[in-house]
Amino acid sequence: MKSLSLIRNFSIIAHVDHGKSTLADRILEFTKVVDERTKKDQILDNMDIERERGITIKLNSATFDYTSKDGKTYTYNLIDTPGHVDFTYEVSRSLAACEGVLLVVDASQGIEAQTLANFYLALENNLEIIPIINKIDLPVANVERCLEQIERTLGLDPKKAIPISAKTGKNIELVLEAIKDLIPPPKGDIHNPLQALIFDSFYNSYYGAVMKVRVFEGMVKKGDTIVLMSNQKEFVVTELGIQQLKMIPKNELYAGEVGYIIAGIKYVEDTRVGDTVTLKKQPAKQALPGYKDIKPMVFAGLYPVDSEQYEDLKEAISKLKLNDASLVYEPENSTALGSGFRVGYLGLLHMEIIQERLEREFHLNLIHTAPSVRYKLTLTDHSVVYISNPADWPDSTKILKKEEPYTKVHIITPSEYIGNILHLLQEKRGQQENILYIDESKVQIVYLLPLSEMIFEFYDRLKSVSRGYASLDYEFYDYVESDLVKIDILINGEPVDALALITHRSKAYERGKTIIEKLKNLIPRQQFQIPLQAAIGSKIIARENISALRKNVLAKCYGGDITRKKKLLEKQKEGKKRMKMIGSVEIPQEAFLTLLKTENRR
C-alpha cells in the first residue's frame, strides 16, 4: 500500500479547444506512459468522432508514476473530463474525485465562458486550482493579458500561473512539479467502511459494466460483496485494478486511490455516475454527497427512412444505451413516419453525436424530427404532467398552468458586439440578469433564456452576430410559467402529427407560416387545390394554397358554340370538387426529410 502523501489526484479543465487533451498527451509522454510506438494525438479520446471534432465526449482516466526533483516517486491519477456544457454533471463528478485541477487558458483568447463555468465547479468542490496559460508559442499569444484576467476575473494568484506550450512540450515539467507542490494529497482511512465514488462507467462485451471509482474511505478487494447505494443492488467483485491506458489488475484498492471495479454487472444503468459503492459486510452510514439522476433536456423523434430498418434501429439504440446511461428512449408511432422512437438527450451536442453514431456505426438512414423540450403542465385536476411530444398535448380546457424550462446563459464576448448580442437575446425572449466587464475589451453577459429558444438557431446566430468571437455556456435554471400553444399543421384539412409543435404564443404565427411556406414548395401539385394551414386549436393562424394542376379540356374543341365550352369547364369544376372531397394527399418522404432537416437547423 502506497503512502497517501505520495498520491496526487487531479483533473484538467478548460474551455473547448484550449488544449486540454494536448496537455494530457504531453504529460503522459513526459512520464513515459506512452512511447514513440504507442504515441498518438488525443490519447485519452477513444472514439473516432472525438478525434474528428477535437472534443472529449466520454471522459477517461490514467494512473502513472512521476519521479520528482526531490527523488521521490509519486503516483498521479489524471481524471480527464468532457469539455462541453451538455456533460457538466459528468465534469462535476470527475472533479469530486480530485483534490486539485489544472485550469487551462488559451494565451491568444483569454478566459471564455466554459473556463468560468468549470472554474466555479472547481470552487464548489473546494479544489486547489493551478492556472495554466497554454499556446504561448502562437504569434498572437498575450500572456500579460491572461495573467491580468486570471487575477481580476478568477481571483487567483497570477504568480502561480505556468505559461506552457502543450504542442511543443515547453514547461511540462514545471506543471508536474506544481501538481506535487500545490495539490494536496488525498485523505482517508483504510479501516473505515468503504466509500467509493463512481465517476464514470462503460460497457465491455466481455466483462459487462465496468465502474471507474475513486476510493475515499476503506478498501475493496477481489471477492468482496459490494452494494450500490442508490439502488441497493449487490454484486461480487471479480476484478479490480488501475487504468493506465489499459486496465492493469491489482489485488486491492485503498482509500485515496483511483481505479476500476468489475463485478459482473449486466447493465450500465446500474452503475450510475455519482453513486457510492460500499461493502455489504461493513456498509457506510451515508452515501457521498452530490449524487443526482441525470435528466434529459432535449427530445426528438427518430425514425428509419426505410420502415424495414425499425428493428435495426431498435437494436442500435439499445447498444448505444449500454455505454451511455443518460440516453433515454421510448417507442413512438407516427401516422406520417411510421414506427420510431422518442429520444431524450442531455443537449444539442449530445443529440448530434448520438444521431451521427447511429448513422455511422450502424449504417442506418434516419429521419430526425425537430428537437423539442419537456414542458410542465398543471391540469385542472391539479395533477402535474411533463410533455415532450406535441401529440400528447392535452385539450386547452384541461390545462390550468403551463411552464417551460429556462436556462441561465453566460456569454463572454468582445465589447464591440454587445449591442448585437443583447438584441438577439431580447428577440429570443431573454431576461437580463447581469452584465460584467472582465477587462476593457471583454464582457460577460448573464441572461435567463427559454431552452426552447436556445435549441432553435440560437448558437448559429450568436456566432454570426459576434463574428465567431462570443463563447457560450448555459445551465438549467428552473421551470417558468409561460403562454404556450400547440400548433397543428393541416394538409387538406387533415392534421399531420409529425409536423405539430409547441411554441410560445408570440412566436406561433412566425413559426407556423415558415413551415407551411416550406411545405408549399415540397408537396407536389394534385388535380385539385390543396390548402395548407397552421392552426392553434380551431383557429387558423396562417394559410397557403397549392394550386391545382389544370388539364386543358377545351383542347378538343375546334371553334363551335361557347355554351359547349362552358359545359365542359363546369363538368371539370364539378369533378375537381368531388375529387377534393374524397382525394387524399400523399406527402412524399423527401418532403419530410427536407422539412425536418431545415427545422433542425432553425
Side-chain angles (χ1 to χ4, degrees), residues 491-492 519-520 522-532 545-551 572 575-577 579-588 591:
I491 298 177
N492 201 25
L519 270 177
K520 186 181 179 182
L522 295 170
I523 295 176
R525 290 164 70 189
Q526 308 281 332
Q527 291 287 339
F528 53 92
Q529 186 188 62
I530 305 168
L532 305 175
N545 289 327
I546 299 174
S547 54
L549 285 170
R550 185 163 179 239
K551 183 182 175 187
Q572 184 189 36
K576 282 186 183 291
K577 202 171 178 181
M579 193 185 281
K580 186 175 179 180
M581 287 166 67
I582 61 168
S584 63
V585 181
E586 281 290 320
I587 307 168

Side-chain angles (χ1 to χ4, degrees), residues 394-521:
D395 188 84
S396 56
T397 55
K398 295 179 180 173
I399 303 172
L400 194 63
K401 185 177 167 187
K402 296 172 274 193
E403 295 170 274
E404 66 175 321
Y406 266 62
T407 56
K408 185 175 271 194
V409 175
H410 299 262
I411 297 167
I412 292 182
T413 175
S415 50
E416 61 260 39
Y417 304 114
I418 189 169
N420 295 344
I421 291 170
L422 291 179
H423 179 73
L424 171 64
L425 288 163
Q426 290 301 120
E427 191 187 315
K428 291 282 185 181
R429 302 191 284 123
Q431 300 168 20
Q432 186 179 316
E433 284 271 294
N434 210 344
I435 295 178
L436 303 163
Y437 279 80
I438 292 172
D439 56 29
E440 61 278 357
S441 62
K442 264 197 169 180
V443 184
Q444 183 189 8
I445 302 167
V446 184
Y447 255 70
L448 296 182
L449 201 66
L451 181 60
S452 58
E453 296 288 349
M454 272 204 69
I455 64 175
F456 286 111
E457 74 177 4
F458 178 74
Y459 186 71
D460 291 343
R461 286 190 58 195
L462 175 67
K463 287 294 177 188
S464 175
V465 299
S466 67
R467 297 187 183 173
Y469 286 108
S471 62
L472 169 74
D473 187 81
Y474 65 91
E475 59 187 329
F476 175 70
Y477 173 68
D478 202 357
Y479 276 91
V480 175
E481 193 166 353
S482 193
D483 188 7
L484 301 167
V485 291
K486 177 191 173 186
I487 301 177
D488 285 307
I489 303 297
L490 286 77
I491 298 177
N492 201 25
E494 292 293 318
V496 181
D497 59 346
L499 299 179
L501 65 142
I502 299 161
T503 187
H504 191 267
R505 194 178 293 276
S506 64
K507 298 289 175 94
Y509 170 72
E510 177 195 323
R511 295 283 309 280
K513 190 165 173 43
T514 304
I515 291 174
I516 59 172
E517 280 174 352
K518 285 176 183 166
L519 270 177
K520 186 181 179 182
N521 299 320

